[in-house]
Amino acid sequence: MRSWRETCEQSLRAFTGADAQRFWQRSHATGSAPEAPFDYRFEHTLAVVKLARWLAPQIGADLEATECAAWLHDCRKRLKEPQERDHHAQEASAAVPEILAGTDFPSAKIPLVQVAIERHVGLRLTRILEPVEAACLWDADKLSKLGAASVVHFMGISPAFQPVTTSDVLARGLRWLELASGIVESMNTEPAREEARRRYVFLERHYLQLAREWADPMEGVPG
């Protein structure tokens, strides 16, 4: 039987690679298509997988189900899709049985993977998610949007949205800090909440430092 981890990674790479080429509008006259400059969706997913592997054992979540859900949670999410067309959680959940068919993943855990994927959306929560695998995936997904790696991912994808200036990056970063504070308080689990607070502090210092460096001396330097 095929390895479920390898199968998940291969399936994800095929989808995100093709979508990244579309997103970056890479074209070719002959031969194979060139790789996109940055495959944001795959890099984001890899961060979520690593966080899920770290968090699941600490909170008693099933490691196989949570890691599998982390690999596949965005396996049907396309870059720059209008918000009203975003049904990626449902589409990803529906794709799980087909992707895992013929692999060594325990079939009895597939519904648990699907539930976790279906419940990972949104940036704020008003209640703790259940089951614990869904809570773990949500926390891992949102943690990936905080901290040093998130800055790398943000910069990797930024040029495709609009011409980028340092002022643009700073303005978007400061707006993100406002949203990120809510993410920190929405974490389902205590280990994730503690890590989110550390990552938020890093982001806050990063953008405040950028603000100081980019301030116009004629207008005064932020304190």
Side-chain angles (χ1 to χ4, degrees):
M1 300 181 76
R2 294 179 292 126
S3 162
W4 69 263
R5 286 187 177 88
E6 292 179 4
T7 299
C8 286
E9 181 174 351
Q10 290 167 4
S11 177
L12 181 73
R13 280 188 183 276
F15 181 86
T16 64
D19 189 55
Q21 287 180 340
R22 174 198 60 80
F23 178 71
W24 288 93
Q25 298 180 337
R26 306 287 282 185
S27 61
H28 63 289
T30 60
S32 60
E35 291 186 10
F38 185 71
D39 187 347
Y40 165 80
R41 187 66 56 204
F42 185 82
E43 294 295 318
H44 159 72
T45 299
L46 190 56
V48 177
V49 168
K50 292 178 179 181
L51 284 162
R53 289 171 177 166
W54 164 77
L55 182 58
Q58 298 185 63
I59 62 174
D62 184 280
L63 181 56
E64 277 188 315
T66 307
E67 182 184 341
C68 185
W71 276 115
L72 300 179
H73 77 285
D74 279 353
C75 73
R76 291 298 180 266
K77 188 171 185 177
R78 295 166 181 82
L79 292 162
K80 215 172 182 179
E81 281 286 300
Q83 192 65 31
E84 61 271 16
R85 297 180 188 172
D86 185 9
H87 305 293
H88 79 276
Q90 292 78 13
E91 293 175 2
S93 174
V96 169
E98 180 180 355
I99 292 172
L100 295 177
T103 72
D104 56 0
F105 189 82
S107 59
K109 296 182 181 181
I110 289 179
L112 189 54
V113 172
Q114 292 177 294
V115 168
I117 290 174
E118 291 163 7
R119 297 180 182 177
H120 85 273
V121 296
L123 295 178
R124 297 288 294 268
L125 292 175
T126 57
R127 60 181 178 82
I128 294 176
L129 292 178
E130 295 180 346
V132 67
E133 291 75 18
C136 186
L137 176 61
W138 196 96
D139 287 0
D141 183 41
K142 303 312 174 287
L143 278 171
S144 73
K145 302 177 188 299
L146 305 172
S150 74
V151 174
V152 174
H153 297 170
F154 171 73
M155 290 307 302
I157 203 70
S158 285
F161 283 97
Q162 76 271 314
V164 174
T165 68
T166 304
S167 295
D168 292 332
V169 171
L170 175 58
R172 290 181 67 188
L174 293 175
R175 288 196 299 270
W176 177 242
L177 281 178
E178 296 177 8
L179 289 172
S181 62
I183 292 175
V184 173
E185 297 310 314
S186 291
M187 288 289 164
N188 294 277
T189 65
E190 191 55 35
R193 190 174 298 111
E194 291 178 4
E195 179 64 14
R197 287 169 180 159
R198 285 191 288 268
R199 292 181 177 219
Y200 181 86
V201 168
F202 167 84
L203 279 182
E204 187 175 47
R205 290 175 177 171
H206 171 78
Y207 285 114
L208 288 178
Q209 179 64 26
L210 180 58
R212 293 187 186 99
E213 294 180 12
W214 206 242
D216 188 332
M218 296 295 290
E219 299 175 358
V221 179

